[in-house]
Amino acid sequence: MIGNMMRSSQFFISTQKEAPADAELISHQLMVRAGLIKRLGSGLYSWMPLGLRVLRKVEAIVRDEMNKAGALELLMPAVQPRELWEETGRWAVFGPQMLKIQDRHEREFCFGPTHEEVITDIARKEINSYKQLPLNFYQIQTKFRDEIRPRFGVMRAREFLMKDAYSFHASHESLENTYQLMHQAYSNIFTRLGLKFRAVKADSGAIGGDGSQEFHVLADSGEDGLAYCEQSDYAANVELAEAIAVGERVAAKETMQEVDTPKQTACEDVAKLLEIGVERTVKAIALMAAEQFYLVLLRGDHHLNEVKLTKVAGLSDFRFATEEEIRGHLNCPPGFIGPVGVAENVKVIADGTVALMSDFVCGANKPKLHLTGVNFGRDLAEPMIVADVRNVVEGDASPDGKGKLSLCRGVEVGHIFQLGSKYSQAMNATYLDEEGKSQVMEMGCYGIGVSRIVGAAIEQGNDDKGIIFPLSMAPFSVVICPIGFHKSDAVKDAAHQLYQDLLQAGVDVLLDDRAERPGVMFAESDLMGIPHRIVVGERGLTEGQVEYKARQQTEAQNVNLTEVKNYILSQLN
RNA sequence: CGGGGCGUAGCGCAGUCUGGUAGCGUACUUGUCUGGGGGACAAGGGGUCGCAAGUUCAAAUCUUGCCGUUCCGACCA
């Protein structure tokens, strides 16, 4: 009987005062302390009954919005045969992140890290005609990715719950339509979940394809940097946010000179020694790609963006040069290298910002020396390649020309892609068009990290007492804390009646009928993040009153016992 | 993959240097008192000290190997 499961004495509550030493993120600590999850191994967590209630609520909202957007739920196997992955070449591409397993016949399988291959196989077998298109299939399923470094509890676990959808189309316009539909569905989902989020332009990474956007829950502890414009709707992952170089190069005023920098190898230290701003300095980063040695020039206070760098012609497989390679090509130890006087076979790439600098400071290619007053076209050739290869910084011009960029951090909880024909082509997923001609399907794919959302939500909602869940995903909506439940019949009867009334009104209510002291009940319900609390005590009952407090409020208020049910219902909307 | 840390009760830790009865806090059990913010007192239960080999009269402690885990770096829907 479900009602019994909503009494604390019959439910399973397992809170802890101390979090495990390895939980560094507040959400991870609180999830363990509140007894939502229990660790089995690195990146492997059991969802305890309390945590599962939260996970299921998230899942239900995701499912509801997907269904509303016309997607069809199915469920694919978690274990997938190697041959399917060989067709797209991803058995090798995915590499060690994929958990590979063998059956008793020594046939090879993987535990699915994603399902493009399986769904495309279904599509090529089931879809023959343009009349069947478009179609959008989704599942909510456990995935496994053997992360290099699992951490942060369920936020970067190896086994996790994901909603993944895949759409199939007879035209690019149709793909765009569904993509926009999914964009809207995702916005609806995160809004209903009560989270602060932002959709940003994203790199499509190993999944491949053209357009893609990520949905991020905003949190300072997020692993991703985001750039957004307050004055417009531009927003992008820092990985690909464009850095716009503004203005023109000023004419040279200084002459080039060597200066002693005996111990100064970093731009910051050189700037400090010379008493100039670090934005006057240029750093050189040595790379190797296809046997070619490169120097990448960045302003001293800027940071290299490796994703952008791989998009420069010839650098898709770059690596950082070793110290020997640096000495071999420049005859100088790292720390003092620069672009002046380099040999013909060194290719120089200047970041767009550097290309506009004049009278700058850089390494002299001689030990313990830097150069000041350096200018392109006079002291060294104009750079062979000018490209945007840096991370944007706070205050950069927005690429749409409508203001300045701000930075924040986020937890990636959703990602939508226009895949195009990458998988359908490789796996020969075709249909017959109106003219009876065979055509390759266009595909889109749309993921949501269901289990990660729980962690992200707690990152966003917590205080020194514990979790503050949005109502939409709280394990219980209301908790009734009776004081002296086992001593006072009046308290017992009132609490029980209220519990029954709320249950009958369809409210997720928890009755704390344990013989615990009030402090324990309060501390635990706060830790678990239950949004609404009603305290029933003998003291108030003599006046016909109970006490109500919202989780995020500090002050409680008295409510008439006769009105409390309706009051709660109004709080729940 | 490279470098560091840590493995002792469910959780948090001491004990290891200097070998000699395995401890503390919390959680758990029982009882009494208590009863509006993780209460007090008392009495209890719970451990192959990560695994294996070695040194020794004797190993949580010393040696070697392995395993797990974690942090930093590299890397990553």
Side-chain angles (χ1 to χ4, degrees):
Chain A
M1 198 175 152
I2 189 76
N4 280 330
M5 301 317 288
M6 298 191 186
R7 287 189 293 141
S8 297
S9 62
Q10 306 300 307
F11 197 66
F12 188 79
I13 292 173
S14 167
T15 62
Q16 287 173 201
K17 287 184 183 170
E18 285 183 280
D22 55 41
E24 43 180 331
L25 231 51
I26 187 71
S27 61
H28 185 192
Q29 294 170 6
L30 290 175
M31 286 184 80
V32 173
R33 283 192 52 211
L36 267 47
I37 54 170
K38 193 148 182 66
R39 200 186 86 112
L40 178 64
S42 179
L44 302 172
Y45 291 89
S46 299
W47 287 83
M48 299 303 284
L50 190 72
L52 188 60
R53 291 180 70 93
V54 179
L55 193 65
R56 292 288 186 238
K57 289 198 175 183
V58 176
E59 209 181 310
I61 289 173
V62 170
R63 182 175 279 119
D64 188 49
E65 291 295 331
M66 290 302 291
N67 291 343
K68 278 185 188 159
L72 299 168
E73 186 169 7
L74 49 61
L75 186 60
M76 293 179 268
V79 174
Q80 308 174 16
R82 171 176 179 160
E83 294 77 55
L84 214 47
W85 287 75
E86 294 285 10
E87 288 190 49
T88 56
R90 289 209 299 175
W91 186 262
V93 171
F94 238 92
Q97 209 185 84
M98 188 155 70
L99 176 64
K100 292 162 181 159
I101 46 186
Q102 288 192 343
D103 69 6
R104 63 172 74 194
H105 306 296
E106 297 186 347
R107 283 191 45 178
E108 291 191 89
F109 296 84
C110 65
F111 194 108
T114 176
H115 281 72
E116 280 83 6
E117 278 80 2
V118 180
I119 196 74
T120 307
D121 181 60
I122 290 173
R124 69 180 166 185
K125 288 170 176 162
E126 292 291 332
I127 301 173
N128 307 303
S129 162
Y130 72 95
K131 293 177 191 168
Q132 294 169 284
L133 297 173
L135 270 169
N136 191 0
F137 294 116
Y138 79 98
Q139 65 174 346
I140 297 178
Q141 229 248 21
T142 298
K143 308 252 194 262
F144 190 96
R145 294 183 191 173
D146 200 351
E147 295 285 346
I148 295 173
R149 198 137 85 79
R151 55 187 147 172
F152 307 149
V154 299
M155 295 252 274
R156 185 171 282 279
R158 294 197 292 176
E159 188 178 301
F160 58 100
L161 191 66
M162 180 170 174
K163 186 283 302 176
D164 48 326
Y166 308 88
S167 65
F168 297 88
H169 308 272
S171 70
H172 190 73
E173 295 71 55
S174 170
L175 169 58
E176 294 250 9
N177 280 343
T178 299
Y179 182 84
Q180 288 309 328
L181 211 55
M182 285 295 105
H183 190 288
Q184 187 57 51
Y186 276 35
S187 298
N188 295 347
I189 288 166
F190 297 117
T191 302
R192 270 181 73 180
L193 286 170
L195 299 172
K196 291 186 210 103
F197 71 97
R198 197 180 283 272
V200 305
K201 284 189 188 179
D203 184 55
S204 46
I207 296 276
D210 306 323
S212 101
Q213 280 168 290
E214 291 167 348
F215 284 76
H216 286 262
V217 168
L218 304 182
D220 292 339
S221 57
E223 289 191 272
D224 286 287
L226 311 178
Y228 62 97
C229 178
E230 304 268 20
Q231 290 80 28
S232 72
D233 58 3
Y234 181 85
N237 193 304
V238 163
E239 284 182 347
L240 87 166
E242 297 162 69
I244 304 295
V246 285
E248 286 176 16
R249 192 190 292 165
V250 187
K253 294 195 204 83
E254 304 173 15
T255 53
M256 187 168 77
Q257 287 184 321
E258 286 184 353
V259 290
D260 286 325
T261 50
K263 287 179 190 163
Q264 289 72 17
T265 56
C267 283
E268 275 178 34
D269 300 331
V270 172
K272 206 174 283 177
L273 181 78
L274 299 177
E275 296 181 330
I276 57 168
V278 69
E279 73 283 349
R280 300 261 321 268
T281 64
V282 168
K283 62 179 148 193
I285 297 169
L287 306 175
M288 291 296 292
E291 307 290 302
Q292 171 67 44
F293 185 82
Y294 290 87
L295 272 187
V296 177
L297 304 182
L298 287 178
R299 207 171 80 181
D301 56 331
H302 286 159
H303 290 281
L304 182 66
N305 181 313
E306 297 182 29
V307 172
K308 288 180 182 177
L309 196 59
T310 59
K311 291 172 186 163
V312 175
L315 290 182
S316 57
D317 274 323
F318 84 90
R319 63 173 173 79
F320 292 103
T322 64
E323 188 167 337
E324 292 79 61
E325 286 166 338
I326 292 172
R327 286 176 186 274
H329 284 89
L330 301 174
N331 194 28
C332 172
F336 306 96
I337 62 174
V340 178
V342 297
E344 293 279 314
N345 63 353
V346 174
K347 284 197 182 175
V348 175
I349 301 171
D351 177 67
T353 305
V354 172
L356 297 181
M357 289 171 72
S358 52
D359 293 328
F360 58 82
V361 174
C362 64
N365 280 329
K366 294 175 188 169
K368 303 181 180 182
L369 289 174
H370 276 73
L371 294 169
T372 63
V374 181
N375 286 277
F376 287 113
R378 184 189 76 182
D379 308 317
L380 74 164
E382 291 292 337
M384 292 175 215
I385 305 167
V386 176
D388 169 22
V389 292
R390 70 172 173 93
N391 285 335
V392 294
V393 294
E394 189 92 31
D396 272 348
S398 176
D400 61 7
K402 291 181 184 165
K404 292 189 170 183
L405 292 179
S406 299
L407 298 180
C408 67
R409 299 199 70 79
V411 178
E412 185 189 349
V413 290
H415 202 155
I416 57 178
F417 301 82
Q418 293 183 26
L419 288 177
S421 57
K422 176 173 173 173
Y423 298 93
S424 47
Q425 185 93 54
M427 296 180 63
N428 202 26
T430 60
Y431 64 95
L432 294 182
D433 67 11
E434 293 94 321
E435 291 161 11
K437 284 206 300 204
S438 185
Q439 303 282 1
V440 174
M441 296 175 207
E442 294 264 319
M443 287 176 65
C445 91
Y446 321 93
I448 286 184
V450 177
S451 47
R452 178 181 279 187
I453 283 174
V454 178
I458 296 170
E459 260 335 285
Q460 221 173 58
N462 67 78
D463 63 13
D464 56 343
K465 294 192 174 81
I467 301 170
I468 303 176
F469 271 122
L471 180 63
S472 56
M473 65 170 88
F476 295 96
S477 304
V478 181
V479 60
I480 300 171
C481 298
I483 311 289
F485 187 79
H486 297 275
K487 291 275 173 69
S488 159
D489 285 343
V491 169
K492 191 172 198 167
D493 292 346
H496 220 262
Q497 189 58 51
L498 183 56
Y499 169 64
Q500 293 295 344
D501 288 349
L502 289 173
L503 270 186
Q504 253 153 39
V507 175
D508 250 343
V509 56
L510 179 70
L511 174 64
D512 198 339
D513 59 343
R514 300 171 300 172
E516 288 291 352
R517 300 165 61 85
V520 174
M521 292 193 282
F522 298 159
E524 292 194 339
S525 63
D526 282 348
L527 178 59
M528 296 187 285
I530 301 174
H532 303 283
R533 185 184 77 194
I534 301 165
V535 179
V536 180
E538 230 165 6
R539 213 166 58 193
L541 281 181
T542 57
E543 319 268 311
Q545 295 200 310
V546 296
E547 183 189 283
Y548 166 80
K549 189 176 101 56
R551 174 63 180 86
Q552 74 270 28
Q553 291 172 345
T554 47
E555 294 297 316
Q557 56 185 298
N558 288 322
V559 180
N560 281 327
L561 182 59
T562 50
E563 291 159 16
V564 68
K565 176 186 152 190
N566 286 331
Y567 184 79
I568 287 291
L569 291 178
S570 74
Q571 294 295 306
L572 301 177
N573 293 331

